[in-house]
Amino acid sequence: MSRTSQPDPELTHRLTRRGMLGVAAGATAAALLGAAASPAGAATDAASGTTGHGRGRPVLPPGRLGIQLYSLRDKVSTLGFGPVFAELEKYGYDEVEFAGYTQGSAGPITLAQLRRLARDHGLNPIGSHVGYYSDDPNAYTFAQNLTKVLDDAQALGLKHIGTASGPFRYGSTVDAWKRAAEEFNTYGAAARARGMKFYQHNHSEEFSFATDNPKVRLYDVLLKETDPDLVFLEMDIFWAYSGQFRFSKRPDGTPAPFEPLNYVLRQPHRYPLFHVKDGVSDPSNTYGYRMTDVGDGDIDYQKFISAVTRLRGERLAHHWQAEHDQPTESFTFARRSSANLHSLREKC
């Protein structure tokens, strides 16, 4: 589906406010990448024609680079949100996605303070991950405390509220996923009534096959059984390609190839959010990849992001959140990932 892009006053305000910062971030990105590139690597890129750095339009849409704060949980717990947000502002980030509203933050903070702190640093709180269900009736999950979850999301001004839990609550059969899909529809309807979108974030297992019908991919059940106007997806691109590695054959060994990008191109409106996470191909690894900083791996983000943003009306319709589950040094990951993504250019 295509949509005509509508003006975004909030985005316009943030881009105006941070215009000079953006220039500085671009210069910093160029310096970082120039310092990191070896002569041999540069020669290889030039010879292969695969480099994303050039004179074309930036691949990354303006105002749409975010980061999943789970990647920076060590810094939040020791420094607090303020210093972390200040660093992200310097690195050229526009948005943040939460994974909890304290993450062991140094010192107490209210939701109103957290929202104001993010905005003071030019960061738009775009979404948050919350648990799907729990055996504890008091747990902070969609199933146990939907109203509280939505109240908090609304207090933060979030446009999206979702879960990184897979729809495995009732098992891995087709009917089990249909049952979970109905619950997701309920959460989606409640979120929409508050002006938000409910979303689900995948890992690789979502691309496995139903235990009662190994011809059926579970992710396809989720897409089919959820209402496209109520339930949205945040594709974690790393885990989707890991799923491709793990589940391109059915349990009986027959081929079942799929391309993660094609899911998005068929229904781009269902994917408002993405996790931009990179990996080095490693067939000896259970998941097919070893996670690394964005731009240092083998996932072709120039191709992926360009393919989505070139669709008519879709350039500003998506949000790209950098993430690394276990970065060696989290600020370095955030800085280098931003630099790499900002350096990507459309092929002329």
Side-chain angles (χ1 to χ4, degrees), residues 4-304:
T4 301
S5 296
Q6 298 296 321
D8 186 336
E10 182 178 349
L11 174 60
T12 301
H13 172 76
R14 285 190 287 116
L15 291 178
T16 300
R17 176 188 181 277
R18 300 180 62 193
M20 291 308 296
L21 179 65
V23 172
T28 301
L32 282 167
L33 289 164
S38 68
T44 301
D45 284 345
S48 66
T50 59
T51 180
H53 319 311
R55 294 179 295 175
R57 180 178 72 165
V59 167
L60 195 68
R64 289 296 186 260
L65 177 61
I67 192 166
Q68 166 52 254
L69 291 172
Y70 180 75
S71 306
L72 296 158
R73 59 195 180 279
D74 62 323
K75 304 298 186 187
V76 173
S77 66
T78 55
L79 302 175
F81 281 104
V84 170
F85 288 169
E87 288 297 304
L88 295 178
E89 183 178 19
K90 287 196 298 185
Y91 302 159
Y93 283 95
D94 309 293
E95 301 176 333
V96 288
E97 182 185 33
F98 291 97
Y101 307 130
T102 61
Q103 293 184 240
S105 175
I109 189 168
T110 67
L111 294 178
Q113 290 171 330
L114 186 56
R115 180 180 186 179
R116 184 167 58 252
L117 190 60
R119 299 298 174 91
D120 285 348
H121 289 287
L123 297 168
N124 182 32
I126 193 65
S128 181
H129 287 186
V130 176
Y132 168 19
Y133 66 93
S134 172
D135 293 332
D136 177 1
N138 297 313
Y140 190 77
T141 63
F142 282 95
Q144 276 67 44
N145 275 293
L146 177 61
T147 299
K148 174 61 175 171
V149 167
L150 296 181
D151 284 347
D152 289 350
Q154 201 164 23
L156 273 169
L158 301 182
K159 295 180 180 178
H160 310 83
I161 180 69
T163 185
S165 302
F168 292 96
R169 182 179 188 180
Y170 304 107
S172 299
T173 66
V174 172
D175 283 344
W177 274 51
K178 286 182 177 180
R179 186 176 176 187
E182 278 304 307
E183 292 185 341
F184 281 13
N185 285 334
T186 299
Y187 309 150
R192 186 171 71 170
R194 307 266 196 126
M196 293 178 285
K197 292 180 178 179
F198 169 80
Y199 64 94
Q200 194 269 341
H201 163 286
N202 65 275
H203 293 87
S204 60
E205 289 77 10
E206 280 87 336
F207 297 95
S208 63
F209 299 93
T211 53
D212 61 333
N213 188 345
K215 293 183 178 181
V216 175
R217 193 180 302 280
L218 288 171
Y219 196 68
D220 295 335
V221 177
L222 178 66
L223 284 168
K224 181 180 179 181
E225 298 297 329
T226 50
D227 186 328
D229 293 325
L230 298 178
V231 177
F232 298 86
L233 292 307
E234 176 179 61
M235 179 174 281
D236 185 303
I237 300 169
F238 171 92
W239 287 121
Y241 279 102
S242 172
Q244 182 191 59
F245 172 82
R246 298 179 65 194
F247 303 113
S248 282
K249 290 184 179 180
R250 298 184 180 89
D252 64 2
T254 57
F258 73 95
E259 169 54 53
L261 177 57
N262 288 341
Y263 276 106
V264 182
L265 298 182
R266 284 194 292 266
Q267 300 185 71
H269 61 289
R270 295 206 74 177
Y271 293 88
L273 305 172
F274 292 92
H275 272 189
V276 181
K277 185 186 299 181
D278 214 343
V280 176
S281 179
D282 181 3
S284 68
N285 186 297
T286 300
Y287 297 102
Y289 292 88
R290 287 179 286 106
M291 206 172 292
T292 189
D293 294 351
V294 180
D296 292 346
D298 296 318
I299 297 176
D300 190 342
Y301 276 109
Q302 181 192 49
K303 174 184 175 181
F304 195 104

